[in-house]
Amino acid sequence: MNKRKGILSFGRINFHYLVLIVMIFIVTAAMTVYSPYFLTVNNLQVLIDTFIMEAVMALGMTMVIISGGIDLTVAGILPFSSIILALLLMREVPFGIAAVLVLLAAAAIGCLTNLLRRSLNLHPMVVTMAIAAVIKGVDLTITGGSAVSGLPESFTRLGAVRILGMPVSWIVYIILAAVFLYFSKNNRWFLQVFFVGGNEDAAKLSGIKVEALYRNVYVISAVLAAVAGILTAITYSSASYSYGTNADLRVITTVAIGGTSLTHGGSGSIAGTLLGTLFMAIIYNAFVMSGISTYYQDVVTGVFLIAAVLLSEGIKVLKERKS
């Protein structure tokens, strides 16, 4: 069994992918019957725009979880990045330089996350939860609870830029998704992430620099959260501490639904995360189209997270019996 798939397969049929694709078609068909506007171009644009930031962060989160960790800092880094970017722009720092500084700050947070995890010998959930709380406090302190607006016109025009008819955020995500999908199957470092997540001791004996790998996955996750923050600022031409609220839960659920196991490392895939992202985007859009209160979204997210964990464990048991 190829551990990179991390999902039960029957011949050439990937069982988890099959279930997910069937669910996507069922929900899509149901919503199409419910509302003739569901498959319109305008609604599909809303569907993508609503979940694009979580989609970007899910790529990095996939690698973290496959390595056997978890990263809750993303919900703090996203608004932090948009706020810092906005403040730099308001001080007439060129966008390119401001964006690089924001990405470097996020990378530093990723390094700090791994440093505390290693030096304190704590579970990543504890470390990232603490760092997320600190960052959120900083976000609120810097903004005083108010949105940062009045950004330079040269920056706000980016939100209206279209490339091949698509906004900047879509283009960035497509490029990132393609890169992660390709390298997750062909790059040695990506393959080492699966090895470390599956058996850290064996990875050390094989000569893999495990701590450097852990550092890199947390840096990648933090940087992608910063990318999401920058794209959010571009999309809304503002910054706020409230951006990214509960994004960590949505991103983790997306990754889990895609087949990446939360209970044991070394199992999952970028392809599964892409499917999980599409499924979650459709579900959240269905809430909007059906008029159901958005307050129930967190309830549904929690239910899906539990279901994903149970499915993952069920597949693991079936794999063990089959072997």
Side-chain angles (χ1 to χ4, degrees), residues 73 76 109 112-114 116 126-136:
T73 65
I109 294 173
L112 176 62
T113 297
N114 184 66
L116 293 178
V126 177
V127 174
T128 57
M129 186 185 299
I131 293 177
V134 172
I135 297 174
K136 290 177 182 179

Side-chain angles (χ1 to χ4, degrees), residues 18-39:
L18 181 61
V19 170
L20 200 48
I21 290 171
V22 169
M23 291 175 67
I24 289 172
F25 273 110
I26 289 174
V27 175
T28 300
M31 287 307 302
T32 302
V33 172
Y34 177 82
S35 172
Y37 302 105
F38 184 75
L39 288 181

Side-chain angles (χ1 to χ4, degrees), residues 40 74 313:
T40 61
V74 295
E313 287 303 297

Side-chain angles (χ1 to χ4, degrees), residues 293-315:
S293 173
T294 54
Y295 295 132
Y296 290 104
Q297 288 184 2
D298 289 340
V299 175
V300 173
T301 300
V303 171
F304 279 138
L305 182 57
I306 293 172
V309 172
L310 291 177
L311 180 60
S312 175
E313 287 303 297
I315 290 175

Side-chain angles (χ1 to χ4, degrees), residues 25-296:
F25 273 110
I26 289 174
V27 175
T28 300
M31 287 307 302
T32 302
V33 172
Y34 177 82
S35 172
Y37 302 105
F38 184 75
L39 288 181
T40 61
V41 173
N42 288 338
N43 186 58
L44 292 177
Q45 289 177 343
V46 172
L47 183 152
I48 297 172
D49 286 336
T50 302
F51 212 73
I52 194 73
M53 307 314 168
E54 283 85 353
V56 170
M57 293 187 288
L59 297 173
M61 185 69 76
T62 302
M63 303 313 296
V64 172
I65 295 178
I66 289 174
S67 74
I70 198 78
D71 187 7
L72 304 180
T73 65
V74 295
I77 293 176
L78 187 154
F80 175 77
S81 300
S82 66
I83 291 168
I84 298 302
L85 179 72
L87 294 177
L88 289 173
L89 292 174
M90 292 177 71
R91 285 163 176 74
E92 300 183 351
V93 176
F95 170 68
I97 296 176
V100 170
L101 291 175
V102 168
L103 295 177
L104 288 175
I109 294 173
C111 288
L112 176 62
T113 297
N114 184 66
L115 178 63
L116 293 178
R117 178 201 62 79
R118 182 183 62 185
S119 59
L120 299 178
N121 195 28
L122 293 173
H123 191 281
M125 179 175 288
V126 177
V127 174
T128 57
M129 186 185 299
I131 293 177
V134 172
I135 297 174
K136 290 177 182 179
V138 171
D139 294 342
L140 188 57
T141 301
I142 293 175
T143 62
S146 302
V148 181
S149 56
L151 303 183
E153 185 178 349
S154 59
F155 174 76
T156 59
R157 285 200 297 264
L158 288 175
V161 171
R162 293 293 183 270
I163 302 173
L164 300 177
M166 296 181 287
V168 175
S169 58
W170 294 21
I171 297 297
V172 171
Y173 175 67
I174 290 172
I175 293 173
L176 287 172
V179 169
F180 270 75
L181 186 60
Y182 175 79
F183 283 106
S184 66
K185 297 179 179 296
N186 300 282
N187 181 267
R188 180 182 177 186
W189 180 83
F190 273 77
L191 301 182
Q192 287 178 345
V193 174
F194 290 90
F195 192 12
V196 170
N199 192 324
E200 181 180 330
D201 293 333
K204 288 179 179 178
L205 292 174
S206 68
I208 295 176
K209 297 179 180 179
V210 173
E211 288 303 329
L213 185 141
Y214 282 138
R215 180 197 63 220
N216 291 339
V217 294
Y218 283 105
V219 167
I220 290 173
S221 179
V223 168
L224 287 181
V227 170
I230 293 171
L231 294 177
T232 301
I234 291 174
T235 300
Y236 299 108
S237 297
S238 64
S240 172
Y241 77 95
S242 63
Y243 291 164
T245 301
N246 292 332
D248 48 356
L249 177 61
R250 293 192 296 274
V251 171
I252 292 170
T253 302
T254 297
V255 175
I257 286 176
T260 299
S261 176
L262 296 177
T263 56
H264 50 89
S267 177
S269 70
I270 294 296
T273 293
L274 298 183
L275 283 174
T277 298
L278 177 60
F279 176 75
M280 290 298 290
I282 291 173
I283 290 296
Y284 281 115
N285 184 259
F287 268 95
V288 176
M289 294 293 292
S290 60
I292 300 175
S293 173
T294 54
Y295 295 132
Y296 290 104

